[in-house]
């Protein structure tokens, strides 16, 4: 550990050179921009700029690409809160409370607390990478298909906390999301499933067009039916969190940091999964769970911290084992290989002059993003003052552009439009949309993990209960699933006690 700290300090000196600071700043700016633009995402931004890094110094090139990667999650929050369009998939759950805060004239507070939480979560994950990477990697390697299935079961269990007023409607939407996740090619048999004859669906239904349509387009279409929304005028003081906001956010930020970090260590988990679980945890431990969905700042602080902590922690398996845990990290792996570097156990001993400056630059980059985002909150909030007649067509343009750029396919734009109209119908019928997003993310991952586990055990379902780690995770999932039931009984008991005391 002492040797790691020494190398980290040396790397910090290299990362602070003017040239590397410039690359980190460019990466942070581009990352924020691609995060603001709906649909493009960190992977799209990195792919677009990857050819420009061919002639750069390897350290500078990867510093810039890594900054785009974690910077996009800062930017994704801006469009999520201000325009009700998730800039990043991980920001979908932030929309539940972030958009409500914007309608109440508290968009500045939401953006500020998201930036602060993201900085704390991202920086803590990098420091843990320096101090604990080898030890934590050993723990992460204990996750096989049964343990991964059990971990995803916890994510699915948070559905109970997203249900809102009607569990039946939430379950119906969850089943709808699971069915959407089965579209494509069977992962084991290789046969087409529910593709309706469209070759574009053989690879599965892409998440971005579905989410952009359900959440972004439907919001704009519904807004067009009524009078322009009235937003409370934001005073300067309301642009930033109050002392009470900071106090309410301290716990969610701490829990989001730990949760996002440990989920980031497990290859295959996503930032969106970390955000959904964090939201569920915050609602479960909150003393005022009924405020979630109505502008609770805890519903912004926890998920935003968790997804940034996850983004930085996800680099640990890449650096130490050469395992990319997500498509964006896989592009970073490609950048390493392009520059003649092989991520893995030998990277730290063979190329310390490259890897440690990259790790140190992540702390510098997170600090840059905090400095760039918090003072500019007032500027971002001015977006809400743009007339609806100008803003909404621009948002639709960005949604269509972002959706098209995912696969360079017009088919995705048609899918987005279809789900935009489906979203309008479901909103009017008061069906919650978040369960669709949750199960569409988790469903294919759970199916893959379950089928891998059953293949290993030759069809014996008890393989899911042989591992102590898997059993512990399954029990945690059951606890999360029953939290609303216990909360309801506790409230009824308190109400009965109050009635008895009055009598």
């Amino acid at each position: 550990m002492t040797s790691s700290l020494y190398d980290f300090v040396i790397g910090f000196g290299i990362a602070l050179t003017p040239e590397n600071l410039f690359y980190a700043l460019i990466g942070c700016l581009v990352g924020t921009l691609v995060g603001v633009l709906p649909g493009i995402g960190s992977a799209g931004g990195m792919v677009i700029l990857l050819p420009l890094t061919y002639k750069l110094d390897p350290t500078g090139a990867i510093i810039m690409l890594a900054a785009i990667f974690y910077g996009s999650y800062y930017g994704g929050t801006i469009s999520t809160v201000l325009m009700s369009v998730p800039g990043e998939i991980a920001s979908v759950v932030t929309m539940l409370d972030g958009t409500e805060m914007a309608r109440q004239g508290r968009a500045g507070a939401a953006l500020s607390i998201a930036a602060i939480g993201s900085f704390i979560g991202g920086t803590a994950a990098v420091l843990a990478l320096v101090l604990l990477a080898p030890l934590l990697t050993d723990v992460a390697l204990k996750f096989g298909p049964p343990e991964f299935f059990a971990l995803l079961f916890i994510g699915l269990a948070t559905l109970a906390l997203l249900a809102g007023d009607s569990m039946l409607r939430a379950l119906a939407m969850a089943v709808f999301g699971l069915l959407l996740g089965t579209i494509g090619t069977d992962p084991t048999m290789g046969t087409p499933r529910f593709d309706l004859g469209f070759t574009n669906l053989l690879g599965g239904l892409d998440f971005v067009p579905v989410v952009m349509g359900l959440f972004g387009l439907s919001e704009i279409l519904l807004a067009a039916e009524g009078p322009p929304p009235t937003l409370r005028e934001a005073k300067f003081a309301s642009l930033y969190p109050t002392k009470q906001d900071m106090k309410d956010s301290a716990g969610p930020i701490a829990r989001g940091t730990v949760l996002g970090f440990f989920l980031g260590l497990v290859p295959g988990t996503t930032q969106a999964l970390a955000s959904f679980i964090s939201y569920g945890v915050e609602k479960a431990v909150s003393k005022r769970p009924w405020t979630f969905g109505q502008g609770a700042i805890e519903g912004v602080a926890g998920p935003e911290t968790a997804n940034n902590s996850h983004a930085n922690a996800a680099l640990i398996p890449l650096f130490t084992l050469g395992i990319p845990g997500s498509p964006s990290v896989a592009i970073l792996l490609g950048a390493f290989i392009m520059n003649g570097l092989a991520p893995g156990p030998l990277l730290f001993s063979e190329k310390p002059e490259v890897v440690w400056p990259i790790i140190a630059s992540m702390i510098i980059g997170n600090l840059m993003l905090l400095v760039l985002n918090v003072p500019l909150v007032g500027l971002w909030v001015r977006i809400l003052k743009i007339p609806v007649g100008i803003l909404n067509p621009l948002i639709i343009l960005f949604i269509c552009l972002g959706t098209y750029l995912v696969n360079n396919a017009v088919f995705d734009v048609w899918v987005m439009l279809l789900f935009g109209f489906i979203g309008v119908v479901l909103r009017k019928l008061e069906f919650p949309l978040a369960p669709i997003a949750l199960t569409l993310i988790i469903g294919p991952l759970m199916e893959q993990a379950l089928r891998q586990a059953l293949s290993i055990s030759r069809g014996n379902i008890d393989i899911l209960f042989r591992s102590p780690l898997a059993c512990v995770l399954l029990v945690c999932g059951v606890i999360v699933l029953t939290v609303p039931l216990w909360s309801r009984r506790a409230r009824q008991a308190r109400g009965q006690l109050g009635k008895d005391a009055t009598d």
Side-chain angles (χ1 to χ4, degrees):
M1 185 180 294
T2 306
S3 172
S4 297
L5 281 175
Y6 176 77
D7 291 336
F8 178 65
V9 172
I10 298 294
F12 224 102
I14 299 174
L16 285 173
T17 59
E19 185 181 9
N20 288 332
L21 285 175
F22 175 74
Y23 290 135
L25 179 62
I26 294 296
C28 290
L29 290 173
V30 173
T32 303
L33 183 63
V34 299
V36 170
L37 297 177
I40 297 178
S42 57
M46 291 162 69
V47 166
I48 292 170
L49 287 186
L50 192 59
L52 301 179
T53 64
Y54 284 154
K55 295 187 178 180
L56 294 182
D57 167 66
T59 306
I62 297 174
I63 283 176
M64 188 168 72
L65 291 172
I68 294 172
F69 172 58
Y70 52 76
S72 64
Y73 295 100
Y74 282 76
T77 312
I78 296 171
S79 58
T80 301
V81 171
L82 299 182
M83 296 181 272
S84 303
V85 179
E88 280 282 346
I89 303 304
S91 300
V92 169
V93 76
T94 305
M95 207 166 63
L96 299 178
D97 285 284
T99 303
E100 285 301 319
M101 288 184 70
R103 287 174 179 154
Q104 296 164 13
R106 304 191 65 223
L111 292 176
S112 297
I113 210 69
I116 293 169
S118 298
F119 170 73
I120 294 173
T123 304
V126 175
L127 290 175
L129 167 63
V130 175
L131 300 174
L132 304 172
L135 175 65
L136 293 173
T137 302
D138 290 341
V139 175
L141 285 177
K142 295 185 183 300
F143 274 75
E147 291 81 8
F148 192 54
F149 175 83
L151 181 64
L152 292 169
F153 177 67
I154 296 178
L156 189 63
T158 58
L159 168 71
L161 302 167
L162 296 171
D165 297 331
S166 172
M167 178 63 80
L168 196 60
R169 289 169 187 262
L171 286 175
M173 293 298 94
V175 172
F176 182 47
L178 287 172
L179 290 174
L180 292 177
T182 60
I183 294 175
T185 304
D186 186 294
T188 304
M189 306 300 292
T191 53
R193 294 188 308 197
F194 312 119
D195 64 337
L196 303 176
F198 293 103
T199 54
N200 300 74
L201 291 178
L202 288 176
L205 199 56
D206 203 294
F207 192 78
V208 172
V210 176
V211 171
M212 289 299 155
L214 283 178
F215 290 91
L217 185 62
S218 68
E219 177 82 17
I220 295 171
L221 292 177
L222 280 176
E225 288 185 353
T230 55
L231 300 170
R232 295 180 191 173
E233 188 69 24
K235 298 177 182 178
F236 179 79
S238 68
L239 290 178
Y240 297 99
T242 62
K243 286 184 180 177
Q244 186 61 44
D245 288 336
M246 296 298 292
K247 184 179 176 183
D248 292 341
S249 302
I253 288 175
R255 286 185 287 271
T257 299
V258 175
L259 179 68
F261 177 73
F262 281 104
L263 287 178
L265 294 175
V266 183
T269 59
T270 63
Q271 285 87 359
L273 178 66
S275 298
F276 273 105
I277 293 181
S278 173
Y279 189 86
V281 168
E282 293 312 319
K283 191 170 180 180
V285 303
S286 174
K287 295 178 180 176
R288 299 167 294 146
W290 58 87
T291 61
F292 279 70
Q294 300 176 13
I297 199 163
E298 298 95 327
V300 175
E304 284 300 311
T305 304
N307 74 41
N308 275 273
S309 178
H310 182 288
N312 287 270
L315 298 178
I316 294 178
L318 173 68
F319 283 127
T320 56
L321 299 172
I323 299 174
S326 68
S328 300
V329 179
I331 294 170
L332 263 183
L333 173 63
F336 271 90
I337 295 171
M338 262 174 40
N339 287 283
L341 304 169
L346 298 179
L347 181 65
F348 286 85
S349 57
E350 292 181 350
K351 294 288 183 181
E353 72 281 6
V354 174
V355 68
W356 286 109
I358 293 170
I359 293 172
S361 77
M362 289 156 61
I363 290 182
I364 298 170
N366 275 291
L367 185 60
M368 284 181 175
L369 286 164
L370 183 68
V371 172
L372 284 172
N373 280 273
V374 174
L376 293 180
V377 160
L379 179 64
W380 292 119
V381 172
R382 288 177 187 273
I383 292 175
L384 294 177
K385 294 183 178 179
I386 299 175
V388 174
I390 298 174
L391 183 61
N392 283 353
L394 282 175
I395 293 174
I396 292 176
L397 175 66
F398 286 134
I399 291 176
C400 291
L401 186 64
T403 303
Y404 173 77
L405 289 176
V406 173
N407 295 310
N408 290 330
V410 177
F411 181 82
D412 287 343
V413 179
W414 287 112
V415 171
M416 184 273 293
L417 292 173
L418 172 65
F419 277 93
F421 289 106
I422 291 175
V424 170
V425 174
L426 292 177
R427 282 173 187 256
K428 286 189 173 183
L429 296 175
E430 298 183 352
F431 280 94
L433 300 181
I436 301 177
L438 175 66
T439 50
L440 186 56
I441 294 171
I442 291 180
L445 296 173
M446 283 191 82
E447 181 192 359
Q448 188 176 11
L450 179 62
R451 296 182 76 161
Q452 285 176 344
L454 293 177
S455 297
I456 293 170
S457 66
R458 297 176 182 261
N460 289 327
I461 195 74
D462 63 351
I463 189 174
L464 301 177
F465 309 102
R466 291 177 195 165
S467 158
L469 179 58
C471 289
V472 169
L473 292 172
L474 287 172
V475 170
C476 290
V478 172
I479 292 172
V480 172
L481 201 59
T482 54
V483 161
L485 178 64
W486 293 114
S487 299
R488 193 179 303 121
R489 288 193 173 182
R491 284 199 300 274
Q492 289 173 348
R494 282 198 296 269
Q496 186 62 44
L497 284 174
K499 186 178 177 183
D500 293 343
T502 305
D503 294 340

